[in-house]
Amino acid sequence: MKIKLQNKTQVEKGVIKSYWFENENIGLANTLFHRITLPLKEFDSGLDYEEQPVQTEIVLDWYNLGLSEPSELDGLNLSHSNYSDAEGSVYIGCSHNWCDVKKLNIVKNIDGNFDVSGSILIEFENEGVGENEEFTFQTSCEYIET
């Protein structure tokens, strides 16, 4: 079964957050990470075991970018090939489905927010939800420092 996510929903305005995290048990010093949250417009997944409409978001996390200020996001491509320690998922079909970020371009716009465009392979097959799908999008994101 194919969800056909591209035809059913679109990304609404998202958020880019920075946050500090440390874990002494694994030797991780206090490090600044970035998380991109991309809410999806409600949609019908077509899965009879899931409450409809589905309300979910794509979460791309653990980006260790080494930035000192938000403006340095301008021009970055946060693909997983460039940032292999980053992770992503979307909760559909009662499962967290891994997202392989093929392209995630960030450009600062004139209002101080960021235009974000991307292409993500959603791996539905790993959780038995459906066939893997490519999902492309364009949206804007607000930057929030936490």
Side-chain angles (χ1 to χ4, degrees):
M1 176 184 170
K2 198 159 188 152
I3 303 292
K4 299 181 183 175
L5 198 61
Q6 191 72 57
N7 299 330
K8 294 181 177 182
T9 189
Q10 59 189 6
V11 175
E12 297 181 318
K13 185 174 182 176
V15 173
I16 301 172
K17 286 185 181 178
S18 63
Y19 62 96
W20 290 93
F21 182 81
E22 70 179 311
N23 185 332
E24 293 175 5
N25 294 327
I26 63 168
L28 178 64
N30 201 22
T31 304
L32 182 64
F33 289 98
H34 288 77
R35 174 185 302 127
I36 299 106
T37 304
L38 304 166
L40 299 179
K41 186 175 179 182
E42 289 183 346
F43 65 97
D44 185 331
S45 68
L47 301 169
D48 58 5
Y49 59 87
E50 181 170 52
E51 187 175 328
Q52 306 297 330
V54 173
Q55 295 178 327
T56 193
E57 58 195 13
I58 297 170
V59 178
L60 308 173
D61 205 357
W62 301 109
Y63 282 97
N64 182 356
L65 304 175
L67 305 180
S68 59
E69 60 182 74
S71 64
E72 294 179 81
L73 288 165
D74 187 33
L76 291 182
N77 177 0
L78 302 183
S79 71
H80 282 170
S81 63
N82 294 337
Y83 298 92
S84 59
D85 290 337
E87 298 178 3
S89 70
V90 59
Y91 193 76
I92 298 174
C94 302
S95 298
H96 284 279
N97 302 282
W98 176 255
C99 294
D100 182 10
V101 178
K102 300 299 184 183
K103 176 182 78 170
L104 188 70
N105 293 324
I106 299 178
V107 177
K108 189 170 184 176
N109 61 32
I110 58 172
D111 68 3
N113 289 320
F114 293 90
D115 294 326
V116 178
S117 60
S119 177
I120 297 173
L121 178 65
I122 302 173
E123 297 181 9
F124 290 120
E125 292 173 10
N126 290 343
E127 299 297 328
V129 172
E131 296 176 36
N132 293 347
E133 296 182 24
E134 187 105 1
F135 184 70
T136 59
F137 63 91
Q138 272 189 278
T139 191
S140 65
C141 288
E142 176 184 7
Y143 182 86
I144 298 174
E145 196 168 346
T146 55

